Amino acid sequence: MGRRFSSACLLAAIYRRGKTDRSRYTLLCEAWETMRRGEETDLPRLERWAERLPIAEFYVDLGDLYLENGRTAAAVSCYARASRMIPSRLRPYEGLWRACLRAGEMDSAAAVARRIVSMPVKVDNTTTIRIRRQAEEWLKTYE
């Protein structure tokens, strides 16, 4: 009971202090890092938080954790949800691409990689350049 109450209080505090989704996400990341020191990754807690604080970056992070833990279908679901929230972001598609590769779904991976390569982005930065380059290189070897 104490953990459930503390999570609810934490989320309430994040909503009060965070004025934008980005600031709430930053506060949530800080709280999560503080809470998980000395603990194993608590996916059920993250799942509850994701439902109560739906932010695309959080779903990408949750998808990454699922992928690390071998839960590919759950990772795909998180990445797909994040990509629907902000369709112009490459990061959810990168996660989706990695999940398809891990699942051995090469045709789906190729479709996602083509989307990554052709997708217009608002700002090119080192992350978007890296993601696109990796997708282009993989497509060359696949096709």
Side-chain angles (χ1 to χ4, degrees), residues 46-65:
L46 285 178
E47 290 165 344
R48 287 191 304 274
W49 288 0
E51 290 302 318
R52 297 176 99 187
L53 192 64
I55 298 171
E57 290 89 353
F58 192 71
Y59 281 107
V60 170
D61 291 346
L62 187 56
D64 290 345
L65 286 172

Side-chain angles (χ1 to χ4, degrees), residues 16-110:
R16 279 194 310 274
R17 289 185 55 210
K19 300 302 179 205
T20 64
D21 282 346
R22 187 71 179 153
S23 66
R24 289 179 186 135
Y25 175 71
T26 301
L27 290 169
L28 185 61
C29 286
E30 291 170 2
W32 172 245
E33 284 303 317
T34 300
M35 291 177 77
R36 79 175 199 157
R37 287 189 193 115
E39 293 182 22
E40 291 296 314
T41 302
D42 186 358
L43 284 173
R45 183 183 308 163
L46 285 178
E47 290 165 344
R48 287 191 304 274
W49 288 0
E51 290 302 318
R52 297 176 99 187
L53 192 64
I55 298 171
E57 290 89 353
F58 192 71
Y59 281 107
V60 170
D61 291 346
L62 187 56
D64 290 345
L65 286 172
Y66 281 136
L67 205 54
E68 286 174 19
N69 288 295
R71 296 177 59 189
T72 307
V76 166
S77 175
C78 286
Y79 295 134
R81 184 177 237 176
S83 69
R84 286 190 303 272
M85 291 172 136
I86 307 177
S88 62
R89 298 269 327 265
L90 278 180
R91 182 66 186 85
Y93 292 102
E94 178 200 23
L96 191 56
W97 175 51
R98 288 185 297 118
C100 290
L101 289 173
R102 173 119 1 127
E105 298 172 5
M106 296 306 166
D107 290 340
S108 296

